[in-house]
Amino acid sequence: MMRTSFLLVPAFGLWQLAPAQSLIQRSLQSDTMPNVVPNPGFEESVRTFCGWTQDPAKFNANMGSWSSPTQTTPDHFSTKNDKECWAHPSKHSHGKQSPRSGQAMVGIKTYGKGNTPTYWHEYVQSELPEPLQAGVRYIAECWVLRSARSNEASNNIGILLSDTAIATRDCLPLYITPQVNETKLVKGGWHKVSGVFDATGTERHILIGNFYGDEVTDHERQPDGERGAYYYIDDVNVRVAPAGTALTPKPKQSVPPPPKKVVPDHTSSKTVDIHEVEPAVGTRMRLDNVQFEFDKATLLPGYEKELDKLVDVMTDYPFLRAEIEGHTDDQGSDTYNLKLSDDRAKAVVDYLVKKKIDKERLTWKGYGETKPLKPNTSEENRALNRRVEFRVVER
């Protein structure tokens, strides 16, 4: 026996029963199906912060339903803040920019370098209440606005529906092909990024950001601002598409860069650039561009470029911990060499800490003449044994 469901609906001032299926069909036909994204306008947060943070855990804890999948930090903006607060939208636009709806929005970087030569992209991620339905056609969209404080406009602002939550321990971009991607430069006012796709039934998490490298991202310099392309995000929406809605073209495949180099132990920084090395646990590199005054722990001019590369690596990988090792040749007493090597290793650590690397992530140790790379039988070998090395102990 066929069963028909009914819903109570108003008609001419009276309440009447109407078939539930017909209401669903009407919703599909008029594109009014419910949005499955939680907190789509970023209105819900534990509190509003006046300042900004470089701690993604702080953003994640405050936003609840939204988080950062990498160790970069999106920003939460709200008109609930005092207008003098950094996190009030008008602070960066002389009062000209505000959320598309409601009182809040988030901001992410989509093009340009971060605090290092690496291209940083920021993302926001949220878990849907339940997976999308297999074989069902959906619309995914969000609204974006280039911040007046950024000096670039870009394309490649995309929406990714993923079956698993993404969580990295670094600040590097995500190279995953999204279901929706904006290929045109986004300038001017609020712009809708939208696409239509068929779900596989495993999609449970939504991410927004640039899923392509900067080398394949179009960009255009703007007259004002700084630090690359930065966009506000608001009104995220994923819903069942109306019947007959056509699929949008699939975005081009996201291609990651070549993997970094895995190098042998004691590889010289004169041979391989530190930026190109995969900083796996146990990796040890000779910092051969770091030199000291004779018989002292005073760094000679020219060391900054080399050590700044270490700062870059430790910034891109904020969980990385390292030991700086000091070594000497066999000239001098054991006690003297141990102290000299220890002082030289500490001089390197002191520079890194001065560059705002947390001292808790760094240790140093002098090994004196106990770990030569070559027998101390020639001046060439002794020069090789006099060295400072960088060793990854945790990542």
Side-chain angles (χ1 to χ4, degrees):
M1 174 174 147
M2 181 179 294
R3 294 177 180 269
T4 302
S5 298
F6 292 87
L7 293 176
L8 200 59
V9 297
F12 305 107
L14 301 174
W15 289 92
Q16 298 181 359
L17 289 174
Q21 184 63 28
S22 66
L23 294 181
I24 295 174
Q25 290 172 342
R26 291 174 196 168
S27 295
L28 283 169
Q29 292 168 358
S30 60
D31 194 14
T32 58
M33 291 298 285
N35 182 9
V36 300
V37 178
N39 194 14
F42 309 99
E43 303 292 332
E44 301 169 16
S45 61
V46 176
R47 54 164 291 186
T48 56
F49 287 95
C50 184
W52 61 289
T53 177
Q54 287 186 316
D55 182 2
K58 187 175 181 180
F59 175 86
N60 298 348
N62 186 54
M63 292 307 299
S65 55
W66 289 94
S67 64
S68 173
T70 70
Q71 294 305 307
T72 58
T73 49
D75 303 300
H76 185 235
F77 296 89
S78 175
T79 55
K80 294 179 182 178
N81 283 316
D82 185 278
K83 289 187 177 181
E84 294 303 312
C85 285
W86 185 92
H88 192 288
S90 66
K91 182 71 174 177
H92 308 284
S93 63
H94 303 291
K96 296 179 181 179
Q97 293 184 319
S98 60
R100 179 178 177 272
S101 65
Q103 297 177 295
M105 58 188 179
V106 295
I108 59 173
K109 187 166 188 171
T110 61
Y111 172 87
K113 296 179 180 179
N115 297 328
T116 75
T118 301
Y119 296 125
W120 281 18
H121 296 166
E122 295 172 333
Y123 307 85
V124 287
Q125 172 177 247
S126 184
E127 182 177 7
L128 305 179
E130 58 185 28
L132 300 184
Q133 300 177 52
V136 174
R137 188 159 294 182
Y138 287 87
I139 296 172
E141 64 186 28
C142 65
W143 289 80
V144 302
L145 171 68
R146 187 190 70 84
S147 171
R149 75 185 186 91
S150 65
N151 66 354
E152 295 274 2
S154 83
N155 68 344
N156 285 348
I157 303 173
I159 304 173
L160 169 69
L161 280 302
S162 171
D163 56 348
T164 58
I166 295 173
T168 73
R169 291 170 64 87
D170 57 55
C171 299
L172 306 182
L174 300 175
Y175 295 93
I176 310 170
T177 304
Q179 283 86 348
V180 176
N181 190 58
E182 179 54 75
T183 59
K184 297 179 181 178
L185 282 173
V186 178
K187 300 185 291 184
W190 282 102
H191 172 85
K192 182 167 68 173
V193 176
S194 182
V196 181
F197 67 99
D198 289 334
T200 64
T202 61
E203 301 91 344
R204 185 67 186 266
H205 302 266
I206 182 170
L207 295 89
I208 300 172
N210 183 356
F211 299 94
Y212 300 88
D214 276 22
E215 69 280 0
V216 295
T217 296
D218 294 338
H219 59 100
E220 181 181 283
R221 192 62 177 257
Q222 302 300 296
D224 300 307
E226 60 179 357
R227 296 175 66 84
Y230 185 92
Y231 284 84
Y232 299 124
I233 311 295
D234 203 358
D235 296 334
V236 185
N237 193 303
V238 175
R239 62 190 183 277
V240 175
T245 301
L247 293 171
T248 51
K250 290 184 177 181
K252 63 184 178 182
Q253 183 178 2
S254 177
V255 180
K260 292 189 175 184
K261 299 175 182 177
V262 177
V263 297
D265 216 8
H266 309 295
T267 293
S268 171
S269 59
K270 289 184 176 180
T271 304
V272 181
D273 191 298
I274 292 171
H275 285 149
E276 299 175 359
V277 174
E278 176 65 32
V281 172
T283 298
R284 182 190 279 109
M285 285 196 70
R286 300 195 331 255
L287 306 179
D288 286 346
N289 294 307
V290 176
Q291 303 292 328
F292 296 87
E293 290 186 14
F294 176 72
D295 222 23
K296 295 181 180 179
T298 305
L299 289 159
L300 288 173
Y303 67 89
E304 295 91 349
K305 184 177 181 180
E306 180 102 313
L307 296 188
D308 285 346
K309 290 180 181 181
L310 290 186
V311 173
D312 294 341
V313 171
M314 298 197 74
T315 303
D316 281 344
Y317 298 87
F319 290 98
L320 187 150
R321 292 178 59 250
E323 179 176 274
I324 305 299
E325 302 178 353
H327 302 270
T328 68
D329 58 22
D330 64 348
Q331 304 298 297
S333 69
D334 292 350
T335 301
Y336 181 83
N337 285 337
L338 278 173
K339 184 178 187 310
L340 178 62
S341 62
D342 195 73
D343 289 345
R344 286 180 170 179
K346 184 178 183 301
V348 172
V349 169
D350 288 344
Y351 180 84
L352 299 178
V353 171
K354 182 181 177 181
K355 288 289 187 170
K356 298 185 179 180
I357 299 299
D358 189 342
K359 63 182 179 180
E360 300 301 321
R361 298 172 59 197
L362 294 162
T363 58
W364 75 91
K365 185 174 182 179
Y367 291 90
E369 60 188 84
T370 62
K371 293 188 175 184
L373 296 180
K374 297 282 187 177
N376 286 294
T377 54
S378 67
E379 180 52 38
E380 181 182 359
N381 286 0
R382 283 192 290 270
L384 182 64
N385 292 333
R386 296 190 298 268
R387 67 196 190 277
V388 174
E389 296 187 321
F390 172 84
R391 180 169 64 89
V392 179
V393 297
E394 184 180 328
R395 178 172 149 183

